[in-house]
């Protein structure tokens, strides 16, 4: 008799239109290798499964009000206690080296306990430093080609630059919009920023910074998959001048749609440039004026063909995740 497949609970609840496409693809691909369960508090605390796979642990305690936050903190503490008292393994994907937003003292303590409980880390790039000494496995971030293949692409406009995705303070969109609005140099280009700001105050800053500029289009709301493809494919460049960039799903999304990207120059982005080619990944030096760097990248045009993303195929990624889950279950079982 063959052994039953591993039961893996993802930290993601029901898949919705707003679910991160990376998670959508991961659940689908890994579900062909192991028995995947989507998250619910009841099952997570009381149910039977072998591995819990967590991506952004700070989400467990986020809530729209103080009372709800305390309820989620209590549930999270109960879940952590279940992990500590059983042989259930905790696998963490290290999307970032640390949370982008600051946390309270209570939530910081909860995050540190997640780190102590981690059985195995999945790294999306080899440069990632983790918050504990648990075993580490490198599994590169999968591409988005298959997920977005159902949507028709637009013809690129040579002077159009875009940014898509959730707008958060660390991404530096305020500075980007302000720089484009103030730019009076020759070779002017247009900018399309699309995504929902993290809060109303950030949205107001973007509107104020873009005021009076006919070169800037702001689409400050959630953008669905079809609209994402329309915006990126109609652009000649996707600009991501983030203050902090360690892993970027948007960069891989643009490359999956055969559009070059401009990203901050650091060790991770240099690795990406080496993987897919300098014509696809332009590096933004800290000493170079942002609008000048954008014009320089636009001057190279869109390369012929497609970037090589063969190391990021989802069947391979799924097998690597299944092996990581099995290894974590083995480690936890020994303990």
């Amino acid at each position: 008799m063959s052994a039953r497949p591993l039961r893996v609970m993802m930290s993601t609840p029901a898949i919705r239109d707003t679910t991160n496409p990376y998670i959508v693809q991961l659940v689908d691909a890994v579900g062909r290798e192991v028995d995947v369960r989507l998250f619910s508090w009841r099952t997570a605390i009381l149910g039977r499964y072998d591995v819990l796979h967590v991506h952004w642990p700070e989400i467990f305690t986020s809530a729209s009000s103080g009372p709800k936050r305390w309820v989620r903190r209590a549930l999270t503490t109960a879940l952590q206690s279940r992990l500590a008292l059983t042989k259930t393994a905790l696998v963490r994907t290290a999307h970032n080296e640390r949370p982008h937003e600051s946390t309270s003292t209570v939530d910081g303590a909860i995050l540190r306990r997640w780190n102590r409980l981690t059985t195995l880390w999945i790294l999306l790039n080899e440069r990632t430093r983790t918050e504990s000494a648990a075993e580490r496995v490198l599994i590169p971030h999968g591409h988005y080609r298959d997920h977005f293949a159902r949507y028709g692409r637009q013809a690129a406009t040579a002077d159009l630059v875009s940014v898509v995705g959730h707008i958060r303070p660390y991404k530096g969109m305020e500075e980007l919009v302000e720089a484009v609005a103030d730019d009076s140099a020759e070779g002017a280009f247009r900018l399309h920023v699309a995504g929902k700001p993290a809060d109303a105050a950030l949205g107001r800053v973007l509107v104020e910074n873009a005021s009076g500029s006919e070169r800037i289009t702001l689409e400050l709301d959630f953008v669905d998959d079809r609209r994402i493809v329309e915006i990126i494919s109609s652009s000649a460049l996707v600009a991501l001048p983030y203050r902090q960039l360690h892993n970027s799903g948007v960069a891989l999304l643009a490359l999956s749609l055969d559009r070059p990207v401009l990203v901050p120059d650091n060790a991770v982005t240099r690795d990406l440039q080496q993987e897919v080619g300098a014509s696809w990944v332009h590096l933004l030096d800290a000493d170079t004026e942002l609008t000048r760097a954008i014009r320089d990248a636009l001057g190279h045009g869109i390369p012929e063909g497609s970037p090589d993303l063969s190391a990021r195929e989802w069947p391979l990624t799924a097998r690597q995740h299944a092996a990581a889950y099995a290894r974590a279950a083995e480690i936890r079982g020994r303990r």
Side-chain angles (χ1 to χ4, degrees), residues 200-252:
L202 179 55
R204 287 193 294 270
V205 171
L206 292 171
V207 171
E208 181 179 345
N209 288 357
S211 178
S213 176
E214 297 180 354
R215 296 168 50 195
I216 301 173
T217 299
L218 298 180
E219 192 173 333
L220 302 182
D221 201 352
F222 170 75
V223 284
D224 63 19
D225 289 351
R226 184 182 300 279
R227 184 66 180 139
I228 287 173
V229 174
E230 288 177 353
I231 295 168
I232 290 181
S233 62
S234 65
S235 308
L237 177 73
V238 173
L240 305 172
Y242 294 2
R243 300 184 188 113
Q244 304 168 33
L245 192 153
H246 189 68
N247 290 296
S248 174
V250 177
L252 286 172

Side-chain angles (χ1 to χ4, degrees), residues 57 115 117-118 133 135-136 144 159 171 175 180 185 190 262-263:
N115 295 334
L117 289 168
T118 299
E135 192 167 315
R136 298 150 39 114
Y144 293 93
D159 68 342
K171 294 186 176 182
E175 289 87 347
V180 174
R190 294 180 295 122
L262 174 68
V263 291

